[in-house]
């Protein structure tokens, strides 16, 4: 009850919450204890700006996301912090830009915890405000206290319980990385003592087949590039593992399994404020959706995976309805980074696009410094307080979710927590149209772009222009790039030479931001 300091009641008030940059100051207005909404973040994986029907997709129907959007706000200018999963999620959950730390690149499945127990996370924040917290689905931020040293047959010495999550049911990394098992509260779920688990990202285990040496065993999906190490469920993976037995997941059941655990969590905690971070495996590779979603979409497996994602969203919304808590649950649906078509498996995603553009009209995809890498769908529904059915182009970043939600629930964050996150609750709830002054976006090669409402600056880099295997334009150029996005959303005409003053301004923003890393 100590958070009742600012007790008041909402709608009128929410209009005044906004724009404040300070965290936890008296200006922030939090909802009172009784009114506290549940908060569910649905984080899709590699779902592009153009992949949902309500964002213009024609080849795939996503009725459940439509349902969410029609009762909420559909944002058209929301940015993930990074163009790949680990740094994007790190930033969202800690409120610190991933580029401030060198160890935030795409993590292996045996990475140690990247968020250290001493860090203050979004889960800690909700917990401090009286919420029960959960993470369900894809994790990809490391487990255990040391990389490569986990004993997967015993409780892990460090897991999500140490960073604020009361409950977790997760995949350690991605579906294309070993270990291919779920971890529930720090231990392998359905552990099979007859098949002890061993994992290595250095070498194979003697006698175990690999995708490279035994392609005939890839009976479910063959790889197009990489993914040629251990074979699990007839699919080649990144990394080596043996054992697992009954605990091994079946790729076709991943969505069912994580969705069921998320629904159970909702049912069990319907009577108290809860925060759930629900991170789907869809639409990341290997795309191997359940049979009931197969063969119905003209785009093949990638389209089926989008339909499966939509189904998961529907199951969560239904669970909220059935529990009678839909009105007072704030649901945020977004994606960790932009889309990729061929990310390493022969799933005919390119061949069957049928005119679909996964990033919509944006240039670049996942991994890229161009907008398609980081501009993502974002839908916010909170029926009790937020006027639904709107489209909103306010400039927002995932980095601000922590401070904004913290302001909403009246969390008082310790000094130094969420250092890059700012309270833009009003933008999130549609009561303030003030754009963030700038957002920062990191490409896969750690090149940083500065994005304002009108301009986008990409710093110079000597990286490849196109990633050959995925065919993605990476946005690299040795020269600085400057695009006038309000005229040309697809970043075609580099105006850097014509607009040196704006380039300077953008470089200055970046210089000042980078400096904060060392001065903290
Ligand atoms: C790449 C993988 C890709 C995907 C990505 C991470 C290969 C050839 N490619 O290295 O398949 O796993 O990493 O994606 O192995 S993310 O969305 O989790 O960041
Ligand atoms: Ca991703």
């Amino acid at each position: 009850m100590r958070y009742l300091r600012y007790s008041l009641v909402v709608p009128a008030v929410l209009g005044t919450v906004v724009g404040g940059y300070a965290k936890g100051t008296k200006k922030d207005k939090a909802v009172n204890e009784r009114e506290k909404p549940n908060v569910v973040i649905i984080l899709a994986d590699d779902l592009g700006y153009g992949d949902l029907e309500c964002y213009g997709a024609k080849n795939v129907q996503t009725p459940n996301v439509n349902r969410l959007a029609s009762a909420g706000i559909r944002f058209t200018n929301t940015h993930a912090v990074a163009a790949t999963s680990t740094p994007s999620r790190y930033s969202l959950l800690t409120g610190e830009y991933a580029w401030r730390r060198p160890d935030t690149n795409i993590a292996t499945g045996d990475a140690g915890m990247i968020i250290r127990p001493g860090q203050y996370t979004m889960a800690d924040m909700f917990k401090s405000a009286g919420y029960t917290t959960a993470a369900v689905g894809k994790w990809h931020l490391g487990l255990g206290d040391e990389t490569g040293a986990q004993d997967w047959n015993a409780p892990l010495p460090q897991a999500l319980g140490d960073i604020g999550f009361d409950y977790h049911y997760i995949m350690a990394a991605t579906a294309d990385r070993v270990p291919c098992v779920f971890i529930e509260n720090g231990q392998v779920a359905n552990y099979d003592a007859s098949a002890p688990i061993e994992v290595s990202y250095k070498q194979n285990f003697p006698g175990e087949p690999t995708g490279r040496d035994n392609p005939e065993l890839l009976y479910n999906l063959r790889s197009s590039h990489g993914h040629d190490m251990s074979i699990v469920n007839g699919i080649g993976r990144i990394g080596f593992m043996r054992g697992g037995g009954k605990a091994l997941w079946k790729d076709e059941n991943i969505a069912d399994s994580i969705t069921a655990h998320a629904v159970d969590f909702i049912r069990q905690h319907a009577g108290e404020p809860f925060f759930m971070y629900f991170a789907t495996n869809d639409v990341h590779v290997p795309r191997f959706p359940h049979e009931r979603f197969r063969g119905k979409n003209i785009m093949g497996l990638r389209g089926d995976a989008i339909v499966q994602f939509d189904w998961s969203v529907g199951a969560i919304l239904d669970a909220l309805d059935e529990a009678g808590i839909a009105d007072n649950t704030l649901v945020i649906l977004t994606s960790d980074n932009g889309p990729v078509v061929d990310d390493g498996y022969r799933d005919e995603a390119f061949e069957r696009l049928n005119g679909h553009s996964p990033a919509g009209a944006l240039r670049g995809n996942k991994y890229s410094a161009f907008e398609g890498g980081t501009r993502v769908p974002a839908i916010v529904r909170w029926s009790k307080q937020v006027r639904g059915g709107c489209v909103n182009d306010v400039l927002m970043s995932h980095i601000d979710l922590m401070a904004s939600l913290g302001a909403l629930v009246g969390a008082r964050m310790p000094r130094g927590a969420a250092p890059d996150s700012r309270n833009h609750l009003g933008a999130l709830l549609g009561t303030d149209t003030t754009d963030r002054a700038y957002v920062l976006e990191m490409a896969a090669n750690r090149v940083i772009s500065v994005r304002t409402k009108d301009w986008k600056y990409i710093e110079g880099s000597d990286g490849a222009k196109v990633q050959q295997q995925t065919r993605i334009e990476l946005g690299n150029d040795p020269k600085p790039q400057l695009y006038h996005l309000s005229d040309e959303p697809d970043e075609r005409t580099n105006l850097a030479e014509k607009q040196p003053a704006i380039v300077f301004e953008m470089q200055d923003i970046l210089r000042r931001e980078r400096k904060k890393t060392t001065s903290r």
Side-chain angles (χ1 to χ4, degrees):
M1 295 297 272
R2 68 203 158 100
Y3 297 101
L4 279 175
R5 240 172 8 126
Y6 314 125
S7 79
L8 47 80
V9 193
V10 219
V13 167
L14 283 175
T16 67
V17 173
V18 289
Y21 269 57
K23 284 170 280 184
T25 65
K26 279 193 182 140
K27 270 191 287 173
D28 295 334
K29 310 287 191 210
V31 289
N32 72 27
E33 204 77 15
R34 202 173 43 82
E35 300 284 325
K36 273 184 182 175
N38 308 301
V39 177
V40 176
I41 296 181
I42 302 176
L43 187 66
D45 199 351
D46 298 358
L47 187 76
Y49 187 74
D51 274 330
L52 296 167
E53 210 177 0
C54 58
Y55 281 86
K58 300 269 185 296
N59 288 352
V60 61
Q61 279 73 54
T62 49
N64 292 300
V65 178
N66 291 351
R67 159 153 70 117
L68 188 72
S70 65
I73 308 173
R74 185 170 69 78
F75 289 96
T76 57
N77 210 355
T78 296
H79 299 256
V81 173
T84 57
S85 153
T86 301
S88 171
R89 291 158 197 256
Y90 174 87
S91 307
L92 189 155
L93 288 174
T94 64
E96 177 180 59
Y97 290 126
W99 48 261
R100 296 201 190 281
R101 275 180 55 172
D103 56 346
T104 51
N105 287 327
I106 300 172
T108 56
D110 68 347
M113 291 258 279
I114 295 171
I115 303 176
R116 305 307 299 170
Q119 279 182 272
Y120 197 76
T121 67
M122 189 182 279
D124 288 319
M125 179 187 87
F126 275 108
K127 228 167 125 64
S128 79
Y131 282 63
T132 302
T133 57
V136 178
K138 171 177 171 172
W139 181 237
H140 210 189
L141 287 165
L143 287 166
D145 49 11
E146 201 187 324
T147 296
Q150 299 89 349
D151 176 358
W152 300 97
N153 305 290
L156 291 160
Q158 268 174 28
L160 281 63
D162 300 304
I163 54 168
F165 288 102
D166 294 313
Y167 173 73
H168 64 271
Y169 181 82
I170 53 166
M171 308 160 71
T174 52
D176 59 352
R177 283 173 171 72
V178 303
C180 299
V181 291
F182 295 108
I183 312 287
E184 187 165 28
N185 292 339
Q187 300 189 54
V188 169
N190 300 321
Y191 182 70
D192 183 346
S194 71
I197 298 169
E198 291 172 278
V199 171
S200 169
Y201 274 72
K202 295 204 172 99
Q203 70 233 353
N204 192 19
F205 297 98
E208 292 294 310
T210 63
R212 178 179 301 198
D213 296 335
N214 309 88
E216 73 284 358
L217 298 179
L218 300 172
Y219 57 84
N220 271 332
L221 262 185
R222 296 170 83 90
S223 44
S224 59
H225 53 274
H227 305 112
D228 59 357
M229 297 175 222
S230 286
I231 300 172
V232 178
N233 196 29
I235 298 174
R237 315 279 166 168
I238 306 170
F240 302 101
M241 83 174 284
R242 73 174 164 198
K246 293 196 192 83
L248 293 172
W249 68 52
K250 290 223 172 294
D251 297 70
E252 54 273 47
N253 295 335
I254 291 175
D256 277 333
S257 179
I258 61 177
T259 306
H261 283 80
V263 165
D264 275 353
F265 179 81
I266 291 172
R267 287 185 183 142
Q268 282 163 20
H269 298 279
E272 58 192 340
F274 65 80
F275 162 62
M276 181 169 65
Y277 170 74
F278 177 59
T280 68
N281 168 53
D282 294 312
V283 297
H284 197 279
V285 297
R287 302 175 187 119
F288 203 72
H290 191 268
E291 209 182 338
R292 68 187 189 278
F293 301 109
R294 296 281 185 105
K296 293 182 186 139
N297 187 273
I298 59 168
M299 295 193 290
L301 289 169
R302 188 168 189 280
D304 297 338
I306 296 174
V307 174
Q308 182 169 264
F309 169 75
D310 183 73
W311 168 82
S312 289
V313 172
I316 301 290
L317 299 184
D318 289 347
L320 296 172
D321 285 341
E322 281 156 25
I325 54 174
D327 276 3
N328 200 30
T329 299
L330 172 61
V331 180
I332 301 172
L333 181 150
T334 188
S335 177
D336 68 337
N337 52 253
V340 49
V341 182
D342 178 351
D343 211 10
Y345 291 94
R346 291 192 211 168
D347 56 10
E348 296 193 310
F350 264 116
E351 294 83 335
R352 300 188 58 172
L353 277 173
N354 279 299
H356 175 73
S357 175
L362 307 176
R363 190 169 182 186
N365 278 201
K366 178 178 177 177
Y367 307 115
S368 178
F370 287 135
E371 285 290 280
T374 42
R375 190 154 138 205
V376 286
I379 299 170
V380 172
R381 184 190 83 174
W382 180 18
S383 300
K384 196 164 169 191
Q385 301 296 350
V386 170
R387 195 162 62 87
C390 321
V391 181
N392 188 319
D393 72 348
V394 67
L395 180 66
M396 291 203 298
S397 166
H398 285 173
I399 198 72
D400 292 333
L401 284 175
M402 194 160 160
S404 304
L405 296 173
L408 173 71
V409 301
R412 279 183 290 168
M413 296 205 246
R415 185 187 286 271
D420 297 308
S421 192
R422 301 290 177 266
N423 173 13
H424 284 279
L425 181 62
L428 194 68
L429 301 182
T431 55
D432 184 6
T433 53
T434 311
D435 297 298
R436 198 181 209 276
Y438 55 85
V439 305
L440 302 177
E441 311 166 295
M442 183 178 82
N445 63 351
R446 301 185 84 84
V447 159
I448 302 176
S449 304
V450 183
R451 169 76 154 88
T452 62
K453 183 75 168 194
D454 295 325
W455 296 95
K456 161 94 167 259
Y457 164 78
I458 307 175
E459 60 179 347
S461 92
D462 54 9
K465 296 228 162 162
V466 175
Q467 192 178 61
Q468 293 306 330
Q469 289 153 324
T470 57
R471 307 185 216 173
I472 289 173
E473 288 190 293
L474 294 171
N476 295 317
D477 196 300
K479 290 197 210 133
Q481 297 169 77
L482 182 75
Y483 297 100
H484 195 226
L485 289 182
S486 30
D487 285 343
E488 205 185 34
D490 61 342
E491 297 165 281
R492 293 284 158 194
T493 316
N494 184 1
L495 297 171
E497 281 178 14
K498 283 198 185 137
Q499 299 281 0
I502 295 175
V503 169
F504 181 80
E505 215 178 287
M506 302 294 242
Q507 287 173 334
D508 200 43
I509 292 174
L510 202 44
R511 230 183 339 257
R512 278 186 280 120
E513 282 290 354
R514 282 200 161 115
K515 221 166 141 195
K516 289 184 197 162
T517 308
T518 42
S519 60
R520 267 176 200 151

